[in-house]
Amino acid sequence: MNLTSYGILVASLLGAALAGYYTSETLSARPNIQYTLIDSARAKELQSANQPRFGDHKAYLAAIDELKASWQKKGKADQVSTDKEDLETHGISDWSYHEAKVPTVVVWVESTEEVVEVVKVATKYRVPITPFSGGTSLEGHFSSVAESQPYGGISLDFSMMDKVLRISEADGDCTVQPGVKWEDLNKHLADKDIKLFFPLDPGPGATIGGMAGTGCSGTNAVRYGTAKAEWFLNLTVVLPSGEVIRTRQRARKSSAGFDTTKLFIGAEGTLGIVTEATLRLAPLLPTKCAVVGFAGVEEAVQAATEIVNAGLPVQCVEFVDKKTVQSINEMGLAGRSYPERDSLFFKFQGSDASMTDVAKAAAIIVQKHGGKDLEFSKTDKEAADLWQGRKAALWSIMGLIPESRAWTTDVCVPISKLPQLVRETAEDFERRGVVGCHLGHVGDGNVHSILLFKTDEELENIREGVHEMVHRAIRLEGTCTGEHGVGVGKVEYLEEELGVGTVGLMETIKRTLDPLDIMNPGKLYPNIKPIKP
């Protein structure tokens, strides 16, 4: 069997195995396309008239009427809204400058059963659904896409599904609804005096549902990894058919087939909607912090790499460039100042007794790489004070240009290539006259760029610079997104990064599970573009 035949066989088997999920009406709308997973002509085929079609404006209005009638019967009429303000807050973000359109209606759900009901209405009228949870996405994940959703669609709001359903301290896990914020979960554990925490920390306001959807991570990734590791033990998911599945049991590990949990992590709500998640928790350990400056990013990366490889108990190691340190000092939001150099901020975990040896070992390594003014906290208060500079970075950078807006994006490369990425990117933005700073999770090779602008012309200049930065990262064997996700902002880079065959496999799965493309359309898949009614 050649590769082309094999690709067709895989697609056929996937379709046959899952065909039972759909009604005859849904199946009749399935795009009748046969394509291989490796055929480079596939992209052109997918632009043909065989793309899925959404309902017309009349169908959208009928869907809204049906949802309003159902929720009114439940005494929840105010949880289905077409108010302009509600639509705008669920479609447009102050932190995203990608194509965006407001939804047609916002529905607040409180249970898996209500999600199923919305999905069935959406399927009946062919109206797209876009999940909305914390609203902190930077790549347009929760916005409707004007090209493929001329009437917006349904924004499914999970803010009322914010319950911690179960905690097992003995098993080190818990089950939560998707609207739970990771900070609130950790506070809930602390309030109960449970010495465990959920270590993924993508940023303030992020919720478990969104974190699963984007495959997020955060500052703790150097020690604890990302959402795509083992922190999501199982998920409850509503499929596009309306069927509810659990992806696996609660055991810490399983060899029972391939890991369907990870099929949905990073899928950005395009394959199904997560309504519950069982999370693995980690022991809460004492933490100390350190800050040290370097002559440049090369020296900082070399020191960070050696410290991590030496086996020191690093929880976080963050690179902050000189301009960011200057902004932190200038704005005064950290309550103290720092030497103005390219710097590393560390968190180390372990007992107070062990920290003496850790501090000595870290001092030897950073000195070897020209590190200066190393500060190592001795108390919890000193640790919090030192780390405050890293926490204040974003708002300090925003203050560099009064009344400016910020484009925030990320890429990730192999750690050894991080200095080249940062240096070339900084030089490029400087040539463009863009005010920006670069910081990130140096232990993972993940860099965040925060770029300031006021006018549309400046925004377009930044857009071009970000475009080149992404290509630079891919040339350096990296990725267009380390942890922010693809959304609409990075979808154009997937075939360059992953290859036509890999993207084709992703799109085969999408077309098999969601032939009508009602689940968060316009995101993640470069060649699936539904036709306007």
Side-chain angles (χ1 to χ4, degrees):
M1 180 181 294
N2 60 36
L3 287 177
T4 299
S5 300
Y6 180 75
I8 295 173
L9 175 61
V10 171
S12 299
L13 288 175
L14 279 169
L18 294 164
Y21 287 160
Y22 300 98
T23 64
S24 58
E25 177 185 342
T26 302
L27 285 172
S28 67
R30 182 191 299 277
N32 185 24
I33 298 177
Q34 282 192 322
Y35 60 96
T36 73
L37 302 182
I38 60 173
D39 184 358
S40 61
R42 171 186 51 80
K44 292 183 179 179
E45 289 185 45
L46 295 181
Q47 305 307 318
S48 72
N50 289 313
Q51 296 283 15
R53 295 174 182 267
F54 294 138
D56 58 19
H57 191 241
K58 183 178 179 181
Y60 276 53
L61 295 178
I64 293 171
D65 288 343
E66 187 166 326
L67 289 169
K68 283 185 174 181
S70 177
W71 260 249
Q72 187 169 19
K73 287 179 181 178
K74 302 174 190 179
K76 302 178 180 180
D78 59 343
Q79 290 176 216
V80 179
S81 174
T82 55
D83 291 345
K84 180 181 178 182
E85 184 176 347
D86 287 334
L87 300 182
E88 288 181 350
T89 57
H90 285 75
I92 299 172
S93 169
D94 291 335
W95 295 97
S96 176
Y97 303 98
H98 304 299
E99 177 189 23
K101 183 179 177 67
V102 299
T104 318
V105 62
V106 181
V107 182
W108 282 263
V109 288
E110 296 185 58
S111 66
T112 298
E113 291 73 22
E114 288 187 346
V115 174
V116 170
E117 182 177 353
V118 173
V119 169
K120 289 183 176 180
V121 170
T123 299
K124 177 180 177 181
Y125 295 101
R126 300 188 186 178
V127 178
I129 301 172
T130 299
F132 183 96
S133 199
T136 61
S137 162
L138 300 173
E139 298 294 349
H141 294 90
F142 62 82
S143 296
S144 299
V145 179
E147 178 183 355
S148 58
Q149 295 165 256
Y151 311 124
I154 300 167
S155 176
L156 201 59
D157 189 302
F158 288 93
S159 60
M160 300 181 75
M161 291 184 68
D162 61 350
K163 309 297 188 298
V164 178
L165 302 175
R166 180 195 59 81
I167 299 172
S168 173
E169 189 171 2
D171 294 320
D173 66 22
C174 66
T175 301
V176 302
Q177 292 182 314
V180 171
K181 297 178 181 179
W182 66 273
E183 303 137 298
D184 292 346
L185 171 59
N186 285 337
K187 184 179 184 302
H188 183 76
L189 293 167
D191 290 345
K192 290 183 170 293
D193 198 31
I194 296 174
K195 305 301 182 183
L196 299 168
F197 80 120
F198 187 59
L200 303 185
D201 61 335
T207 64
I208 297 302
M211 291 164 69
T214 57
C216 75
S217 51
T219 63
N220 288 334
V222 68
R223 181 176 179 90
Y224 293 102
T226 74
K228 294 186 177 182
E230 298 296 331
W231 298 107
F232 288 82
L233 295 177
N234 67 48
L235 301 172
T236 299
V237 181
V238 179
L239 297 175
S241 63
E243 181 173 352
V244 181
I245 65 167
R246 285 174 60 84
T247 55
R248 54 176 273 193
Q249 291 278 43
R250 194 161 62 90
R252 283 290 181 96
K253 61 181 182 179
S254 171
S255 295
F258 57 82
D259 193 342
T260 53
T261 304
K262 290 180 181 174
L263 182 65
F264 298 96
I265 296 176
E268 303 184 2
T270 65
L271 301 179
I273 298 172
V274 174
T275 60
E276 289 183 14
T278 296
L279 309 175
R280 180 179 177 179
L281 303 174
L284 191 61
L285 302 174
T287 300
K288 295 293 182 288
C289 295
V291 178
V292 59
F294 295 88
V297 62
E298 289 87 353
E299 294 85 351
V301 170
Q302 290 166 3
T305 301
E306 186 168 345
I307 285 176
V308 171
N309 290 344
L312 298 185
V314 176
Q315 176 183 349
C316 309
V317 51
E318 297 288 291
F319 170 76
V320 177
D321 70 4
K322 181 179 178 180
K323 187 177 292 186
T324 302
V325 177
Q326 290 171 338
S327 71
I328 293 168
N329 290 343
E330 184 177 340
M331 295 300 112
L333 299 180
R336 54 155 294 166
S337 62
Y338 301 83
E340 294 183 354
R341 303 185 182 95
D342 286 342
S343 299
L344 294 178
F345 284 69
F346 287 94
K347 282 185 180 180
F348 295 99
Q349 288 183 311
S351 66
D352 289 345
S354 69
M355 284 299 105
T356 300
D357 291 335
V358 170
K360 290 178 181 177
I364 292 171
I365 293 173
V366 300
Q367 186 175 13
K368 184 169 75 172
H369 296 283
K372 296 183 180 298
D373 301 313
L374 172 66
E375 291 187 63
F376 203 105
S377 67
K378 296 182 178 62
T379 67
D380 291 344
K381 183 180 185 308
E382 286 183 10
D385 290 345
L386 275 181
W387 194 255
Q388 190 60 35
R390 177 61 182 89
K391 291 178 66 176
L394 172 61
W395 300 110
S396 298
I397 294 167
M398 293 284 291
L400 288 172
I401 302 179
E403 300 180 0
S404 63
R405 292 178 288 167
W407 179 308
T408 301
T409 189
D410 86 315
V411 293
C412 189
V413 295
I415 298 170
S416 64
K417 298 186 178 182
L418 183 64
Q420 180 182 349
L421 174 74
V422 172
R423 182 177 61 254
E424 292 180 0
T425 299
E427 290 171 353
D428 181 53
F429 281 120
E430 189 172 342
R431 283 193 298 270
R432 296 174 183 274
V434 173
V435 176
C437 298
H438 309 281
L439 59 157
H441 320 316
V442 67
D444 310 311
N446 189 191
V447 173
H448 300 261
S449 294
I450 302 171
L451 311 161
L452 305 181
F453 67 96
K454 282 188 171 182
T455 68
D456 290 342
E457 292 77 12
E458 290 172 342
L459 172 59
E460 188 56 36
N461 188 27
I462 286 174
R463 193 184 304 276
E464 293 174 0
V466 169
H467 184 75
E468 177 53 36
M469 179 181 70
V470 172
H471 288 303
R472 182 179 300 114
I474 294 173
R475 288 195 300 270
L476 294 172
E477 301 177 89
T479 176
C480 64
T481 172
E483 59 185 20
H484 291 178
V486 174
V488 296
K490 298 291 179 66
V491 68
E492 66 181 289
Y493 307 110
L494 284 193
E495 288 195 337
E496 177 185 355
E497 177 181 331
L498 301 176
V500 171
T502 299
V503 171
L505 175 60
M506 291 167 54
E507 292 179 342
T508 297
I509 295 169
K510 166 68 171 175
R511 287 177 175 276
T512 304
L513 282 173
D514 184 19
L516 295 182
D517 195 27
I518 63 168
M519 293 289 185
N520 208 10
K523 322 295 165 52
L524 199 58
Y525 309 100
N527 303 304
I528 298 180
K529 299 181 184 298
I531 296 172
K532 295 179 182 181

